[in-house]
């Protein structure tokens, strides 16, 4: 480090809190670890643990992605089953 220059700050780390909160509406069991890890990022940065903050952000992103994927798949299957149920019940008419 040269005299007269301030120490270089590390690049900011995205804590992925927004994606974690969105994922809680799709599949909350996997979104909870995402939110917990996202909430660890800023305190770790304040303590100067840049590597720990990056690891927590990566874990948060991983859990959020899994929650989004599983949630979207469950919603898609549910919608397809409902549409199939309506289609089958509409095609079977009873005539007396």
């Amino acid at each position: 480090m040269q005299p007269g220059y301030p120490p270089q700050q590390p690049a900011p780390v995205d804590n992925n809190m927004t994606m974690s909160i969105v994922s809680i509406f799709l599949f909350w069991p996997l979104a909870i670890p995402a939110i917990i890890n996202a909430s660890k990022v800023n305190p770790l940065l304040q303590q100067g643990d840049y590597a720990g903050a990056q690891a927590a952000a990566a874990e948060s992103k991983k859990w959020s992605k899994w929650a989004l994927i599983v949630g979207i798949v469950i919603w898609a299957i549910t919608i397809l089953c409902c549409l199939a149920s309506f289609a089958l019940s509409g095609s079977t008419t009873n005539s007396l």
Side-chain angles (χ1 to χ4, degrees):
M1 188 165 123
Q2 296 179 350
Y5 289 101
Q8 186 177 8
Q9 295 291 332
V13 178
D14 182 19
N15 61 8
N16 301 306
M17 185 62 84
T18 305
M19 188 165 58
S20 300
I21 291 173
V22 169
S23 67
I24 203 163
F25 294 109
L26 293 174
F27 194 69
W28 65 267
L30 294 179
I32 290 174
I35 291 174
I36 290 170
N37 281 304
S39 66
K40 291 179 183 178
V41 173
N42 290 340
L44 287 171
L45 282 175
Q46 290 172 351
Q47 295 171 1
D49 186 4
Y50 187 71
Q54 284 182 325
E59 283 291 308
S60 173
K61 190 172 186 177
K62 176 185 77 171
W63 286 108
S64 295
K65 281 184 178 181
W66 277 110
L68 290 171
I69 291 168
V70 170
I72 289 170
V73 167
I74 289 173
W75 277 95
I77 290 171
T78 303
I79 289 171
L80 288 174
C81 287
C82 288
L83 290 175
S85 173
F86 289 135
L88 289 176
S89 68
S91 66
T92 58
T93 57
N94 293 334
S95 56
L96 295 175

